[in-house]
Amino acid sequence: MKTLNEQVNDIKVANTSKASKKAALAKLGITPYEISIILADVEGKVSGRFTFGVEMECFVNRGAIRTAAERTRMAYEYEGYNHRDGHSYFKFTTDSSVRGMDDPIECVSPVLTGNDGKRMLKNACKTLNKADAKVNSTCGLHVHIGAAKLTDKQYCNVFVNYMYLEAIIDTFMARSRRNNEYASSIQDHKYSIERALTIENMQNALHNCRYHKINPMSYNRHKTIEFRQHAGTTNYEKIINWVNFCGKLVIWSKKNRLTAPVASIDEIPFLSNEEKGFFKARAEHFASL
């Protein structure tokens, strides 16, 4: 028979929601205060580095970018529409889906990682804002997280976990991004997503189409998983919080797979309390609109 400590540890590492863990610990006779202490050290603790890339769709004048970039020393180049990797600068390309204002562009970051990557991204946001970049409802923010080292099972876990988080994610996304033609829901594909065993299976489950909230097709060209749901923005705080959400989701999915929808932002297992607070504030903002 297992000791109390062994039972507690089993509950802590179980692939269940925080609410389920609280209930299981309470059945062992542990007080609410003790439960809060036990679960505090697993709250949002997700370790590991990840590579990321960001595509910011917006409207910004070329001359204004040149002036701003001279001040911030951001490396950038204007190019024709392409999907080439390997650039060390921020790439400005055309995108036919961005419309309604003058000077539409997509600002594509190089592959970034760690604090250096965050600093480069922050400087790019600063540059765009100095150049008076604008967004509207046609703009999206696309985040790529490196997936080259994921196993087939881990890759599939990411999609299953996003599916079970989708209803909660929707609460802190703009209404225009909750079922967008370029970022559609994956809920309708639940049966196929849950049964996918390989990367190819998951791509087939989503009809080999990239226009979903989470895109299975970016793996073929970039060895990434692309998260397409976020609305367009050049606000660094919004962007980096979503980057961290996506990156931590991928890391957490290496060992964990949800089996039911998550009930609230508080129940998202890989976020810190600070991150939960940020997304709660965003959800309250959109609920008031």
Side-chain angles (χ1 to χ4, degrees), residues 58-124:
C58 61
F59 304 88
V60 64
N61 178 266
R62 184 185 291 236
I65 279 290
R66 181 173 60 251
T67 300
E70 287 174 354
R71 296 175 182 171
T72 63
R73 298 184 180 181
M74 183 187 83
Y76 76 96
E77 294 287 345
Y78 274 84
E79 299 182 2
Y81 183 75
N82 70 79
H83 293 283
R84 292 190 296 271
D85 292 331
H87 53 98
S88 59
Y89 48 85
F90 283 80
K91 179 174 64 177
F92 286 71
T93 68
T94 56
D95 191 313
S96 61
S97 69
V98 182
R99 53 193 182 273
M101 298 174 67
D102 293 334
D103 302 312
I105 62 97
E106 182 176 66
C107 176
V108 183
S109 79
V111 177
L112 305 171
T113 190
N115 290 330
D116 286 343
K118 291 177 181 179
R119 280 191 289 269
M120 286 183 66
L121 176 60
K122 188 173 186 177
N123 191 53

Side-chain angles (χ1 to χ4, degrees), residues 123-190:
N123 191 53
C125 291
K126 178 180 177 180
T127 305
L128 289 169
N129 292 325
K130 278 184 174 292
D132 198 28
K134 297 286 191 294
V135 299
N136 65 15
S137 61
T138 71
C139 299
L141 171 77
H142 303 159
V143 171
H144 289 256
I145 303 297
K149 295 182 180 180
L150 297 183
T151 66
D152 284 76
K153 180 180 179 180
Q154 291 169 339
Y155 178 94
C156 291
N157 283 353
V158 177
F159 286 79
V160 171
N161 290 338
Y162 197 98
M163 179 181 68
Y164 280 126
L165 288 164
E166 186 178 331
I168 293 300
I169 293 172
D170 281 353
T171 67
F172 54 79
M173 291 291 175
R175 295 186 186 279
S176 63
R177 305 300 294 185
R178 295 179 185 179
N179 199 12
N180 185 283
E181 64 177 310
Y182 296 107
S184 65
S185 171
I186 62 174
Q187 294 289 333
D188 294 341
H189 308 282
K190 181 174 183 292

